[in-house]
Amino acid sequence: MNYKSIIYLVGVLTTTIGIAQTNPLKVTEDFKPSSVNQQGKLYPQVNSEGRVRASILAPQANKVQLDLGGTKYDMVKDEKGIWTGVSDPQDEGFHYYQLNIDGASVPDPGTVYFYGAGRLGSAIEIPAADQEFYAMKDVPHGLVSENIYFSKLTNSFRRCFVYTPANYNEDSKTRFPVLYLQHGSFEDETGWAVQGKANLILDNLIASEKANPMIVVMDNGYAYKPQTNTSRPESIFEEVVINEIIPMIDSKFRTIANREHRAIAGLSMGANQTMRIMMNHLDTFSYYGGFSGTSNYPSIDAIDVNTFLDGKFKEGNALNKKIKLFWLGLGTKEPIPFPASVGAFRTMLEQQGIRYAYYESPETAHEWLTWRRCLNQFVTQLFK
Amino acid sequence: MNYKSIIYLVGVLTTTIGIAQTNPLKVTEDFKPSSVNQQGKLYPQVNSEGRVRASILAPQANKVQLDLGGTKYDMVKDEKGIWTGVSDPQDEGFHYYQLNIDGASVPDPGTVYFYGAGRLGSAIEIPAADQEFYAMKDVPHGLVSENIYFSKLTNSFRRCFVYTPANYNEDSKTRFPVLYLQHGSFEDETGWAVQGKANLILDNLIASEKANPMIVVMDNGYAYKPQTNTSRPESIFEEVVINEIIPMIDSKFRTIANREHRAIAGLSMGANQTMRIMMNHLDTFSYYGGFSGTSNYPSIDAIDVNTFLDGKFKEGNALNKKIKLFWLGLGTKEPIPFPASVGAFRTMLEQQGIRYAYYESPETAHEWLTWRRCLNQFVTQLFK
């Protein structure tokens, strides 16, 4: 790489507008446009340290900030009215962020938008050392299909995205196993195939014969009973999965419709939800993946197997015979309470003598690079 | 509807910040959240007059404007720092817009984002009297599949969206005709299935047996020869369609791969592009649709049939025998030069004795409601 380090004197620039940030900042000047920018947009940029440089024209603004990873970085204005700011180094991977213009929190006009944190917003991609596994390559690509359906249980239109592997369309006879894959809280059914890059991860693994071809169904984990005036929202996602989604997928796609060829996994809230669904329906699924979450969340206390999930983990031997894979993953930098909560769950599994696989994503927190890596590991062990 | 008219005294509110807009504005107070808002977002809103009310929290801002339909409407701040503004009545249908905060043009955090005008931005949907034809209904829904492919001709990854009708998955044998459907300038392959609602239009028409089931392929009209240092960008979209996209679609999907079962259509720039492709490849397509555009654009002059498109319209009788449908559509409020340019083209067709169908979308301009309506009319005449 051809780059040079310079002393970036934010102090000099800020004197004109009196922002408090006056420490000289040593920044490596090898910034490149982020890979999730809109076509042709030069900003935001990322450098080799993982710093983010944002930039926006706002000539009449009083204060503009880059709001990233829980910190609001003051940006500074040049003579053309363009505000620019640089963040601290970020972890590798994908991070949501916003710009703040005079108190208005808005998406950066430079980036593509992603649904997360309960909104469509901007994001930055810090290139990871292992990014090849989710890169777009010249391999056969599967399709990601938007599937709209009316759900009688929720009395609403719902949508899932369905990945079919590249060889799905090679003939009209071959049938495939299915992974049901769920997003986390304040995310939606778009997460896995957009920021999660599930389709590219599967394309690459299948092309290199590290994973078996499979269908992946990504639905929305928020599903509620139709509300009356007096009732509170009651989640019926489990019923929707079992009684609506699975029968629909088995009728619309060439699936192998039995428990030996069905897996269910999720991240964070989705890990919690899918673990309950798995344990309540061992006749339906035989593989489970929990990424950054378990059903005892947010508790970090020792688990009472007699009461936890209605005693579903009491019979360790029986579960070992029935479950083909019980897989857990976590980032090494996850915040409280995830490490202790997942830790308490693992302790319970070990006390019960229940076999499970455990993976740690190095140097990542409760974010999408953790989950991309989890998926990349998990699916290689499915349907074998 | 239960609504009431009140005098909305913008003048009173504006005195505190000195905005020039002081005329009392009579606004019908029956605003409802726009149908293309993000889930749970109350703003922007639309009333029965087609006015748009935008709102954003920006406590420290000096000036906030709603930038819609070529006009920047000053918004006014309340004591909580929330800026609100109301537009003039808009045409029915779909309109892109932005907010302007102290000179920064940004998407409204309230809406879903759409690719148009060369960027991902906000949009508003003004309910149309005929909106039922593109409404999401409890009918069988087709799939919209994202299809990633590597294009050797452009040396780049490209993407198209492919609509397959609901009965595509009912069996594994039935084969279908294909419509190739293109977006306009500064739009992309997402346009037709997102703001164009092509999938819902087809779902509804097919469910009511007004259109035959068909596959619809929506690709990106920007395709260039790989650039050298000395060369200028040279569009090779026609070559990509003929040599890469069609063979790929015919191999991945159950198409009827002949000219009698292939249509090509587009809007604006896409109408221009697809007309050239149609006329150069009458062995490949037998149906054509041009929505708000023709290949003589932007000229409004009389067309010389000897030179126009290399004389492809010279033999009227031969074309009448070869082409099954030549269909043109236009909005009644289209701006210069579209009415005169399409008019000059129609005059040429008539002078040559070439049969064509012509549709006008009432009270719409060069916008998506025109194109939704065009598609809704056009596809009922395909493959019959």
Side-chain angles (χ1 to χ4, degrees):
Chain A
M1 262 191 292
N2 177 22
Y3 63 84
K4 54 181 180 165
S5 293
I6 65 157
I7 303 295
Y8 186 67
L9 292 167
V10 174
V12 172
L13 296 173
T14 52
T15 50
T16 54
I17 53 162
I19 293 290
Q21 187 180 357
T22 51
N23 291 332
L25 192 63
K26 192 179 174 185
V27 168
T28 305
E29 279 298 333
D30 58 355
F31 285 92
K32 290 174 186 165
S34 164
S35 62
V36 292
N37 283 3
Q38 292 182 41
Q39 202 183 6
K41 298 283 185 173
L42 293 176
Y43 287 91
Q45 301 191 336
V46 181
N47 78 352
S48 57
E49 301 169 278
R51 292 186 197 271
V52 177
R53 177 173 281 161
S55 179
I56 188 167
L57 177 72
Q60 285 88 49
N62 301 309
K63 188 175 187 176
V64 181
Q65 294 176 308
L66 165 61
D67 184 359
L68 169 64
T71 302
K72 286 182 178 164
Y73 300 91
D74 287 334
M75 296 167 69
V76 295
K77 186 164 82 165
D78 71 8
E79 69 284 356
K80 292 174 186 162
I82 298 170
W83 296 74
T84 303
V86 177
S87 78
D88 294 333
Q90 304 294 304
D91 289 344
E92 293 184 348
F94 178 94
H95 313 289
Y96 300 116
Y97 79 96
Q98 294 280 94
L99 296 180
N100 194 292
I101 304 172
D102 286 340
S105 184
V106 294
D108 185 335
T111 79
V112 169
Y113 306 120
F114 303 88
Y115 195 79
R119 62 165 188 236
L120 277 165
S122 287
I124 195 86
E125 183 84 41
I126 312 291
D130 58 349
Q131 65 184 331
E132 280 299 303
F133 81 82
Y134 54 84
M136 191 180 289
K137 297 181 183 176
D138 190 10
V139 297
H141 289 278
L143 302 177
V144 176
S145 303
E146 180 196 42
N147 179 48
I148 296 166
Y149 63 99
F150 184 77
S151 157
K152 287 183 184 168
L153 289 173
T154 63
N155 193 34
S156 66
F157 288 102
R158 292 176 51 88
R159 180 172 75 158
C160 60
F161 288 91
V162 180
Y163 169 84
T164 46
N167 65 331
Y168 187 89
N169 294 303
E170 274 179 10
D171 66 57
S172 56
K173 287 176 187 171
T174 309
R175 305 187 74 89
F176 295 84
V178 186
L179 164 62
Y180 291 83
L181 184 62
Q182 286 301 123
H183 61 83
S185 57
F186 301 107
E187 297 178 329
D188 71 8
E189 69 276 17
T190 63
W192 267 113
V194 181
Q195 57 265 51
K197 296 183 183 282
N199 54 327
L200 300 179
I201 292 169
L202 267 292
D203 288 341
N204 291 336
L205 287 173
I206 293 168
S208 59
E209 298 186 344
K210 289 178 187 156
N212 286 325
M214 66 187 79
I215 293 167
V216 184
V217 178
M218 298 156 279
D219 207 297
N220 190 310
Y222 295 100
Y224 299 98
K225 233 182 193 167
Q227 274 192 265
T228 62
N229 281 337
T230 54
S231 66
R232 283 211 261 168
E234 182 188 340
S235 176
I236 52 169
F237 181 60
E238 179 170 335
E239 292 85 335
V240 170
V241 169
I242 300 298
N243 299 320
E244 294 191 325
I245 300 173
I246 292 177
M248 170 182 65
I249 296 299
D250 283 337
S251 83
K252 277 197 183 177
F253 295 88
R254 297 196 312 276
T255 65
I256 308 173
N258 60 37
R259 69 179 296 279
E260 287 75 21
H261 295 89
R262 229 182 257 126
I264 189 163
L267 73 90
S268 195
M269 177 185 85
N272 182 331
Q273 290 179 306
T274 55
M275 182 187 289
R276 287 171 184 270
I277 296 171
M278 171 80 181
M279 299 311 290
N280 286 338
H281 301 278
L282 290 176
D283 52 334
T284 304
F285 306 98
S286 61
Y287 296 84
Y288 170 75
F291 313 158
S292 301
T294 42
S295 293
N296 55 321
Y297 175 89
S299 169
I300 62 172
D301 298 338
I303 291 174
D304 177 353
V305 286
N306 292 305
T307 57
F308 177 63
L309 289 191
D310 302 324
K312 289 291 193 304
F313 287 91
K314 276 171 75 178
E315 308 294 337
N317 281 341
L319 292 180
N320 285 337
K321 282 177 194 156
K322 189 90 176 166
I323 295 174
K324 288 181 176 255
L325 177 67
F326 200 95
W327 195 100
L328 301 175
L330 195 67
T332 61
K333 294 174 77 172
E334 300 253 1
I336 290 171
F338 293 101
S341 183
V342 173
F345 183 83
R346 292 175 62 202
T347 300
M348 180 276 288
L349 289 182
E350 284 158 22
Q351 285 170 347
Q352 297 302 106
I354 297 169
R355 280 194 306 272
Y356 72 102
Y358 181 65
Y359 165 78
E360 282 192 348
S361 165
E363 297 299 310
T364 59
H366 203 68
E367 294 197 289
W368 275 99
L369 185 52
T370 301
W371 306 321
R372 291 176 189 163
R373 285 174 174 164
C374 283
L375 184 70
N376 190 50
Q377 299 288 329
F378 173 65
V379 294
T380 62
Q381 298 184 46
L382 295 182
F383 315 124
K384 296 219 156 158
Chain B
M1 264 190 294
N2 177 22
Y3 63 84
K4 52 182 180 163
S5 292
I6 65 158
I7 302 298
Y8 186 69
L9 292 167
V10 174
V12 172
L13 297 171
T14 53
T15 49
T16 54
I17 54 164
I19 292 292
Q21 187 179 355
T22 51
N23 291 332
L25 193 62
K26 192 179 175 187
V27 169
T28 304
E29 280 297 333
D30 58 354
F31 285 91
K32 290 175 185 165
S34 164
S35 62
V36 291
N37 284 2
Q38 291 182 41
Q39 203 184 7
K41 299 283 186 174
L42 292 177
Y43 287 92
Q45 301 191 337
V46 181
N47 78 352
S48 57
E49 301 169 279
R51 292 187 197 270
V52 177
R53 176 172 283 161
S55 179
I56 188 168
L57 176 72
Q60 285 88 49
N62 302 309
K63 188 176 187 176
V64 180
Q65 293 176 309
L66 165 61
D67 184 0
L68 169 64
T71 302
K72 286 181 178 164
Y73 300 91
D74 287 334
M75 297 166 70
V76 294
K77 187 164 79 163
D78 71 10
E79 69 283 358
K80 291 174 187 162
I82 297 170
W83 296 75
T84 303
V86 177
S87 78
D88 293 333
Q90 305 293 305
D91 289 343
E92 292 185 348
F94 178 94
H95 313 289
Y96 301 115
Y97 79 96
Q98 295 281 94
L99 296 180
N100 194 293
I101 304 172
D102 286 340
S105 184
V106 294
D108 185 334
T111 80
V112 169
Y113 306 120
F114 302 88
Y115 195 79
R119 63 165 188 236
L120 277 165
S122 288
I124 195 86
E125 183 84 40
I126 311 291
D130 59 348
Q131 64 183 331
E132 280 298 303
F133 81 83
Y134 54 85
M136 191 179 291
K137 297 182 182 175
D138 189 10
V139 298
H141 289 279
L143 301 177
V144 177
S145 302
E146 180 196 42
N147 178 49
I148 296 166
Y149 62 100
F150 184 78
S151 157
K152 286 183 184 168
L153 290 172
T154 62
N155 193 33
S156 66
F157 289 102
R158 292 176 53 88
R159 180 172 74 159
C160 60
F161 288 91
V162 181
Y163 170 84
T164 46
N167 65 330
Y168 188 88
N169 294 303
E170 274 179 9
D171 66 59
S172 56
K173 287 176 187 171
T174 310
R175 304 188 75 88
F176 295 85
V178 186
L179 164 62
Y180 291 83
L181 184 63
Q182 286 301 123
H183 62 83
S185 58
F186 301 107
E187 297 178 329
D188 70 9
E189 69 275 17
T190 62
W192 267 113
V194 180
Q195 56 265 50
K197 297 184 183 279
N199 53 328
L200 299 180
I201 292 169
L202 266 292
D203 288 341
N204 291 337
L205 287 173
I206 293 168
S208 59
E209 297 185 343
K210 289 178 188 157
N212 286 325
M214 66 186 79
I215 293 168
V216 183
V217 178
M218 298 156 278
D219 207 298
N220 190 309
Y222 294 100
Y224 299 98
K225 234 184 193 166
Q227 275 194 265
T228 63
N229 281 337
T230 54
S231 66
R232 283 211 263 169
E234 183 189 339
S235 175
I236 52 170
F237 180 61
E238 179 170 335
E239 293 84 334
V240 170
V241 169
I242 300 298
N243 299 318
E244 293 191 325
I245 300 172
I246 292 177
M248 171 181 66
I249 295 300
D250 283 337
S251 82
K252 279 197 183 176
F253 294 87
R254 298 195 311 275
T255 64
I256 307 173
N258 61 37
R259 69 178 294 280
E260 286 76 20
H261 296 87
R262 230 183 256 124
I264 188 163
L267 73 90
S268 194
M269 177 185 85
N272 183 330
Q273 290 179 307
T274 55
M275 183 187 288
R276 286 171 186 271
I277 296 171
M278 171 79 182
M279 300 310 291
N280 286 339
H281 301 279
L282 290 175
D283 52 336
T284 304
F285 305 97
S286 60
Y287 295 85
Y288 170 74
F291 312 158
S292 302
T294 43
S295 292
N296 56 322
Y297 175 88
S299 168
I300 61 171
D301 299 338
I303 290 174
D304 177 353
V305 285
N306 292 306
T307 57
F308 178 63
L309 288 192
D310 302 324
K312 288 290 193 304
F313 287 91
K314 276 170 74 177
E315 307 294 337
N317 281 342
L319 292 180
N320 284 339
K321 282 177 195 155
K322 190 90 176 166
I323 295 173
K324 288 178 175 258
L325 177 67
F326 199 95
W327 195 99
L328 300 176
L330 195 67
T332 61
K333 293 174 77 172
E334 300 254 1
I336 290 170
F338 293 102
S341 184
V342 172
F345 184 83
R346 292 175 61 201
T347 300
M348 179 278 288
L349 288 182
E350 284 158 21
Q351 285 169 348
Q352 297 302 106
I354 298 169
R355 281 195 305 272
Y356 72 101
Y358 182 65
Y359 165 77
E360 281 191 350
S361 164
E363 297 299 310
T364 60
H366 204 68
E367 293 195 289
W368 275 100
L369 184 52
T370 301
W371 307 321
R372 291 176 189 164
R373 286 175 175 164
C374 283
L375 184 71
N376 190 51
Q377 298 288 330
F378 174 65
V379 295
T380 61
Q381 298 185 45
L382 295 182
F383 314 125
K384 297 218 155 159

